[in-house]
Amino acid sequence: MNFRRDRKVGSSLILVLLILAGVTTVVLGTQRVSLIQFKQSSAEEDNVLALYAAKAGIEDMALRERFNRDTEIVPDSDSKTQVQRFDLTAGALPSTTGLFRESDSITTTPGYDPGHQYYDVKVNLKTPWIDGITPNAINAPPPELLTLAKDDYLELTGFPSDYNNGAAYYLRYKFRFVNADGSGDCDDPQDKAFVQIQEITNHNDGSSADLSQVTATRPANSFDVDSSTQAKNILIKDNAGLSSYIRIRPYYCSVKFFFTTSGANNHQGYTASDHTASDPGPTFDSLNRIIFSTGYFGQAKRTLVGTYDPKSGQLVSVADFNLYAGGNISPPP
């Protein structure tokens, strides 16, 4: 009898242990699922708050451009790209100027607090070329919007006088003669189509400005003309004077165009095919302002890219650039 009783007690103990093991497994599993859900919820909250910070940066720079038109942030003394950093939670710049190198991590900010919302913002105002030939040109609309119609004209103005410690520089031009609607090679006879280029140059000695004129005609067996291959880049600035404007007007055919600056009359500046540099000169004011804004909160960052049209004073588009950092807060891309 005692032997049987012991067997019953031992069986009950095993059953209780199995039940406890099952309950423990369920509890630990539930706890793990809850922990994962909590981390996901926390990461999503960080992500949303970082996105709101990035949006604030876009709006900040758009307002500056709309009312002050002074949004350019110049590189530092070591020619490193800088961003304007702002602490949204504190409502203040984290330093006297708020300028930081773009390569510096947000965590190196003086007084950095992961519980604060920050944004880094910068604007691209300049482009090294104006391009109506290559469809994939940076910051350029589709090429059909940059076709210069025959008998219409385009003016280039605002050339800097202090580029590279006063060094001389030239305008390289390239034209592709096309039909009036901007499509296909021009059907007009080759000996008729040309582009008239007029230049007004103001002299440094205060004497009256000079008007000069160049005629760019189509070469034989080609619909393109390139000033660099003919050593005919237009002198914009030298010790004697500076161009106040260059006016371009095509006749008989419309043209797609490419402009860049260079250091000599036969240099390419930037190429129209792959945009590689060869003795480039100063840059042009871009047609649109491209705003980069990166927001930070907790363990997340979000970068937005906005396109601002200075003519209409409106944001044309805002697009996501990347998702949350997932615990690795690093410099903006």
Side-chain angles (χ1 to χ4, degrees):
M1 294 294 293
N2 292 337
F3 176 72
R4 291 179 180 175
R5 188 182 300 115
D6 291 342
R7 289 184 60 186
K8 289 182 177 180
V9 172
S11 298
S12 299
L13 181 60
I14 292 173
L15 181 60
V16 169
L17 290 175
L18 289 174
I19 293 174
L20 286 175
V23 171
T24 302
T25 301
V26 172
V27 170
L28 292 177
T30 303
Q31 184 181 24
R32 177 173 175 78
V33 171
S34 299
L35 181 61
I36 292 174
Q37 290 177 341
F38 173 78
K39 288 184 176 180
Q40 288 177 338
S41 176
S42 178
E44 183 60 29
E45 182 181 359
D46 287 0
N47 188 27
V48 171
L49 291 173
L51 175 62
Y52 288 159
K55 287 183 176 180
I58 293 285
E59 293 295 338
D60 175 15
M61 199 58 72
L63 285 172
R64 289 195 220 178
E65 177 65 30
R66 186 174 297 133
F67 295 107
N68 297 329
R69 299 189 181 276
D70 185 19
T71 57
E72 187 168 11
I73 299 174
V74 298
D76 64 11
S77 58
D78 294 329
S79 299
K80 301 295 184 180
T81 304
Q82 297 191 112
V83 293
Q84 179 83 60
R85 183 166 296 166
F86 190 78
D87 185 341
L88 272 173
T89 305
L93 299 173
S95 67
T96 303
T97 63
L99 297 179
F100 294 84
R101 286 186 176 183
E102 188 175 19
S103 58
D104 292 341
S105 171
I106 186 69
T107 57
T108 63
T109 305
Y112 171 71
D113 185 339
H116 284 203
Q117 287 176 286
Y118 297 86
Y119 64 76
D120 288 343
V121 66
K122 67 174 184 177
V123 176
N124 283 355
L125 295 176
K126 300 291 185 178
T127 179
W129 61 82
I130 301 177
D131 195 339
I133 293 177
T134 304
N136 295 323
I138 295 177
N139 298 343
E144 62 268 21
L145 298 180
L146 290 176
T147 298
L148 183 59
K150 65 177 182 178
D151 301 326
D152 202 352
Y153 71 89
L154 171 70
E155 278 191 1
L156 303 178
T157 61
F159 300 109
S161 61
D162 55 353
Y163 170 73
N164 197 17
N165 297 319
Y169 61 92
Y170 295 72
L171 176 74
R172 175 200 171 193
Y173 59 84
K174 182 175 181 179
F175 301 115
R176 177 170 298 166
F177 292 87
V178 295
N179 290 318
D181 61 358
S183 64
D185 298 329
C186 184
D187 296 328
D188 283 297
Q190 175 182 320
D191 57 351
K192 285 187 176 181
F194 68 93
V195 180
Q196 180 188 71
I197 306 172
Q198 295 179 324
E199 179 184 22
I200 290 289
T201 301
N202 292 317
H203 295 284
N204 291 333
D205 59 7
S207 60
S208 60
D210 283 340
L211 171 64
S212 58
Q213 182 170 302
V214 173
T215 300
T217 58
R218 282 174 48 193
N221 304 318
S222 176
F223 289 91
D224 294 345
V225 56
D226 189 338
S227 62
S228 68
T229 61
Q230 302 173 337
K232 291 185 177 180
N233 291 348
I234 297 173
L235 179 64
I236 296 177
K237 189 267 176 189
D238 62 5
N239 292 330
L242 174 71
S243 295
S244 57
Y245 75 80
I246 295 178
R247 178 176 293 179
I248 298 97
R249 186 171 190 172
Y251 290 87
Y252 294 97
C253 294
S254 299
V255 294
K256 294 185 184 297
F257 52 84
F258 177 88
F259 299 110
T260 184
T261 55
S262 70
N265 67 343
N266 61 344
H267 287 185
Q268 291 188 335
Y270 277 76
T271 64
S273 57
D274 59 6
H275 298 132
T276 56
S278 172
D279 188 24
T283 53
F284 296 94
D285 188 11
S286 61
L287 299 178
N288 289 321
R289 308 292 193 250
I290 308 301
I291 305 173
F292 295 87
S293 179
T294 299
Y296 303 90
F297 182 81
Q299 295 299 310
K301 72 172 184 177
R302 290 288 291 270
T303 298
L304 300 178
V305 180
T307 302
Y308 179 85
D309 179 9
K311 293 182 179 179
S312 65
Q314 300 294 324
L315 281 167
V316 178
S317 64
V318 178
D320 275 311
F321 196 81
N322 69 315
L323 296 177
Y324 82 98
N328 181 21
I329 299 297
S330 56

